[in-house]
Amino acid sequence: MSGGHGHGQGSATARFRGRMVFVVCVTSVVFVGQIIGGILANSLALISDALHSATDVTGVAMALIASHFAAKPASQTRTFGYYRLEILAAVANAVLLFGIAIWVFSQAWERFFDPPEVASSTVLVVALIGLAVNAVSMLMLAKGQKESLNVRGAYLEVMGDMLGSVAVVVAALGITFTGWGIIDPIASVVVAVMILPRAWSLLREAIDVLLEATPKGMDLSEVRRHMLEQKGVVDVHDLHAWTLTSGLPVVSVHVVVEEVRLRDSGPLLDALQECLVGDFDVEHSTIQLEPVGHSAHEGAGHA
C-alpha cells in the first residue's frame, strides 16, 4: 500500500515572488546608474559593482521565470511538474557569478600596470546610492532566504553587492585623499573575491538537490526511529529522502507491519504520514506497507 500527503504544496520561491520583482526593478535602476557612472568616472571598481548588480537582476529574473514554470501542473510525462527548473536556474546563476569574477580579475590585472585617473566624487555618490538600495533589498528578502534556495541566492547576491558597494565607497574615499589610481583595480578585485564563495555555496547546494542528497537537517536514523515507534510497525527499510526543489522534501519508504495491523492499514498509514509532516516537515511521502518476510522477495536493490 502507498500513501501521499500534501501533493499541492507550492514552491517556496512563489510565495516571495512580489518581493523578488521589487528587487529586480530597483536593482535594474541601480545597474544602469552604476554603468553610466563607471564609464564617466573611468572606474573599473564601479563597473564591477554594476556587473555584480546585473547578476542580481538576471539571477532573480531566472528564479522568477523558473518559479512561474514550477507552478504549472504535473502531467503524464512530467509527474512532478517543473519544480526542478528552480534548481537549474540556481546552477545557471552560480555559473554566471563565476564568469563575472573571472572577467573582473582579467581587467584588474591590466589596470595594475597602468592605473587610470578616476573621478572619485562620481564613484562615491553612485556607490552610496547603490549601498542604500541593496540594504532595502536585503530587508525585503530576509525572510524568504530561509525557505527558498533561489530567494537565498538572490539574498546572497544582494548582500555581496552591498559589501561590494562598501568596497567601492572606501576606494573612492581613498582615491580622493591620496590620488592613487591603483586603488580602483584593487577595489574591483575585492568585489570579485566576494563573489566567489557565494557562487560556490549556491552551486554546491543546487548540485546536492540534483544529486538527490538527503535534505539538509534531516537525520534518516531519526526518521526511522519515529516510524518504528508507531504501534504495529516491525521494521522500516528502503528509506529514501531527497529534495524535489527548495522547500519541498520528499520521502519514500517500505514499512513492515504486523499481520493484524495490515488488515486495517488506514489508521496506521495516517499515523505514519502525520509523523513525517509533524516531526520532519515532509508533506509529500510514499509509504509501502508490507507483511513480515516480504522484503526477501524485493532483491538486493532494496535495503
Side-chain angles (χ1 to χ4, degrees):
M1 294 182 182
S2 64
H5 188 86
H7 295 263
Q9 178 176 331
S11 164
T13 304
R15 295 196 294 274
F16 300 93
R17 184 178 288 112
R19 297 187 180 196
M20 294 175 75
V21 169
F22 170 83
V23 171
V24 168
C25 292
V26 296
T27 307
S28 296
V29 174
V30 170
F31 163 70
V32 173
Q34 288 175 324
I35 283 290
I36 295 174
I39 293 173
L40 293 177
N42 195 27
S43 171
L44 177 62
L46 193 52
I47 292 174
S48 300
D49 204 22
L51 292 175
H52 197 180
S53 296
T55 65
D56 293 349
V57 173
T58 56
V60 178
M62 284 190 294
L64 286 170
I65 293 171
S67 177
H68 169 74
F69 280 102
K72 291 182 176 295
S75 66
Q76 292 294 325
T77 55
R78 290 184 174 87
T79 57
F80 278 115
Y82 294 84
Y83 281 124
R84 280 287 166 87
L85 278 179
E86 291 192 55
I87 305 304
L88 295 177
V91 172
N93 199 1
V95 171
L96 181 62
L97 286 170
F98 278 119
I100 292 294
I102 292 171
W103 183 85
V104 171
F105 283 135
S106 65
Q107 293 298 309
W109 179 258
E110 296 179 7
R111 291 196 172 208
F112 279 134
F113 300 101
D114 186 19
E117 292 185 9
V118 177
S120 57
S121 58
T122 301
V123 175
L124 181 60
V125 171
V126 176
L128 285 174
I129 294 173
L131 186 62
V133 171
N134 287 327
V136 173
S137 297
M138 282 187 65
L139 289 175
M140 295 289 290
L141 299 174
K143 182 179 179 181
Q145 66 96 15
K146 299 176 182 179
E147 300 183 29
S148 165
L149 186 56
N150 274 300
V151 177
R152 184 187 178 203
Y155 178 85
L156 290 175
E157 286 182 21
V158 173
M159 180 176 67
D161 203 16
M162 185 175 74
L163 295 175
S165 294
V166 171
V168 176
V169 168
V170 172
L173 291 173
I175 294 172
T176 298
F177 290 109
T178 67
W180 296 345
I182 198 172
I183 294 177
D184 185 73
I186 291 174
S188 66
V189 168
V190 171
V191 173
V193 169
M194 289 177 180
I195 292 174
L196 292 176
R198 296 182 304 103
W200 170 246
S201 176
L202 185 61
L203 182 62
R204 182 183 59 194
E205 291 194 28
I207 289 176
D208 277 347
V209 174
L210 292 176
L211 292 178
E212 299 188 341
T214 301
K216 184 180 293 185
M218 181 181 292
D219 185 345
L220 289 187
S221 63
E222 280 297 299
V223 176
R224 189 186 306 274
R225 184 179 67 81
H226 278 239
M227 299 186 85
L228 284 170
E229 289 177 350
Q230 301 301 317
K231 184 178 179 180
V233 174
V234 176
D235 190 23
V236 172
H237 67 99
D238 203 25
L239 173 61
H240 300 283
W242 66 98
T243 303
L244 187 58
T245 190
S246 52
L248 187 54
V250 180
V251 164
S252 69
V253 60
H254 291 203
V255 179
V256 181
V257 182
E258 294 174 352
E259 190 68 29
V260 64
R261 293 285 284 169
L262 194 60
R263 297 194 194 100
D264 184 22
S265 59
L268 175 59
L269 190 58
D270 290 340
L272 290 169
Q273 290 173 341
E274 289 171 7
C275 168
L276 290 173
V277 174
D279 297 328
F280 303 99
D281 198 28
V282 176
E283 296 193 6
H284 188 115
S285 60
T286 301
I287 303 171
Q288 176 172 310
L289 302 183
E290 57 189 41
V292 176
H294 185 271
S295 60
H297 306 287
E298 294 181 348
H302 296 265

